[in-house]
Amino acid sequence: MAVPTTTNDESEDTYAFQPANGVPKETARLDELHAGITEFFGGGLSLADLSNFRPSRILEIGSGSGAWAIQAARTYPEASVQAIDLNPIPPRPIPSNLHWQKADITQPFPFEDESFDIVHARLVMMHVPNGEDVLRRAVRLVKPGGWLFVEDPDDDRMLDGGAPLPPGMAAFVGSWLRIVRGRGAEPSIGREHGRILNSFSAFEDVHVRKVAIPISGKSHDPALKKLGLTWKVNMVRVAADLPQRFAADGITEEVAQQHLSELQDTTRNITTDFYFSFARKHRV
């Protein structure tokens, strides 16, 4: 999901997108992205094998549209699912075992250490200042034997057939990366997952799967191709939104239109690296 944009909290302006609970188009964007990733997972909550796992408490950090938390609550109806964000989950049917709580994740979490069987954060650490510190604090929330799921990109590695992006896309993506970094966040933190997670002796099992997402849809793997086309739709939606607010930062309507033209050029082979990481703590 995503860390929310804000009202008067200290983390105001750290997230560049609009809040899902106030903008239906943003809710739809996040829901579509979740659906595409879930299909890539084969319908699961993660790439981790949870077939014999029975969690009692689950936490989603940065709930956005609520799509992952809702899926978790439906998958494990006996579990208590806690979702945190600065903005509420948009009005929609919510399972009775799902609870939302307002929280600024740049501050200490309002939970005791080792209190959740699953802790999940998708497209969150890339948006928050000192994302590595937030991730390290999230690790402490996982119970012995529990799982951490964290998913982030490395958009510095967005390429066209292994070569640099064409000029319009380079201008758009480059401006976006500068905006995020200018707010103290690291949009390519995904490539640091392995280093961060492997620094914890508490984990018995760390998996970091790097996927070159085929945004242009050029893949012989049907699941990967579908994921890539989901990413492409997401990028089209983002390109329609950002010029309204970030023209002064280089994302003008003209840049966005050139970006879209190159993105949709069928002769190109646009890819970006994404990290699906999951780690299990030692069982007592």
Side-chain angles (χ1 to χ4, degrees):
M1 309 299 30
V3 176
T5 181
T6 56
T7 53
N8 296 318
D9 297 82
E10 290 182 10
S11 56
E12 184 175 6
D13 292 333
T14 63
Y15 180 63
F17 295 120
Q18 301 183 73
N21 74 314
V23 183
K25 287 184 178 180
E26 180 65 3
T27 300
R29 181 184 76 83
L30 294 175
D31 282 354
E32 289 171 3
L33 195 56
H34 171 74
I37 293 173
T38 300
E39 187 169 356
F40 179 67
F41 287 168
L45 293 168
S46 165
L47 290 173
D49 181 5
L50 301 178
S51 55
N52 296 311
F53 193 64
R54 295 294 178 267
S56 61
R57 295 193 74 202
I58 298 171
L59 174 67
E60 174 161 48
I61 299 172
S63 52
S65 74
W68 188 93
I70 290 169
Q71 182 187 351
R74 290 173 176 165
T75 301
Y76 298 108
E78 302 302 317
S80 174
V81 179
Q82 183 76 56
I84 60 173
D85 207 319
L86 284 172
N87 290 284
I89 293 172
R92 61 198 320 170
I94 301 292
S96 61
N97 61 325
L98 170 57
H99 310 280
W100 176 83
Q101 179 175 342
K102 183 172 183 176
D104 178 356
I105 69 169
T106 66
Q107 304 301 314
F109 289 111
F111 309 110
E112 294 183 2
D113 288 352
E114 298 185 352
S115 55
F116 293 95
D117 300 288
I118 294 175
V119 174
H120 173 260
R122 173 181 295 160
L123 294 165
V124 170
M125 302 306 162
M126 66 171 292
H127 285 296
V128 293
N130 302 312
E132 180 171 337
D133 176 64
V134 178
L135 179 53
R136 290 183 177 277
R137 288 190 286 108
V139 170
R140 298 203 298 266
L141 299 177
V142 182
K143 292 180 182 179
W147 289 93
L148 173 74
F149 306 149
V150 59
E151 300 150 9
D152 287 295
D154 177 2
D155 283 342
D156 281 322
R157 291 288 299 168
M158 189 176 290
L159 302 169
D160 180 12
L165 291 172
M169 292 194 71
F172 186 97
V173 175
S175 294
W176 165 247
L177 295 175
R178 285 192 297 274
I179 289 167
V180 176
R181 288 185 171 124
R183 297 170 180 224
E186 178 44 67
S188 294
I189 195 172
R191 65 187 176 209
E192 301 296 332
H193 282 180
R195 174 184 62 79
I196 297 167
L197 297 181
N198 281 302
S199 71
F200 285 90
S201 60
F203 287 124
E204 67 178 25
D205 209 5
V206 174
H207 298 267
V208 177
R209 180 173 175 186
K210 182 177 82 170
V211 175
I213 296 179
I215 297 169
S216 297
K218 295 181 178 179
S219 173
H220 297 296
D221 181 333
L224 197 53
K225 180 176 181 176
K226 209 163 186 181
L227 179 65
L229 294 177
T230 296
W231 228 261
K232 184 175 182 179
V233 170
N234 178 66
M235 290 179 66
V236 169
R237 286 186 178 273
V238 168
D241 171 59
L242 296 188
Q244 303 171 45
R245 290 174 294 118
F246 295 110
D249 298 289
I251 303 183
T252 63
E253 191 62 43
E254 181 181 4
V255 167
Q257 288 305 313
Q258 187 178 359
H259 163 74
L260 283 171
S261 176
E262 294 166 355
L263 174 66
Q264 296 171 322
D265 182 346
T266 58
T267 67
R268 298 196 179 278
N269 183 16
I270 308 298
T271 60
T272 195
D273 286 351
F274 195 88
Y275 291 78
F276 297 99
S277 304
F278 50 101
R280 190 171 194 181
K281 278 194 173 179
H282 289 286
R283 285 157 274 196
V284 175

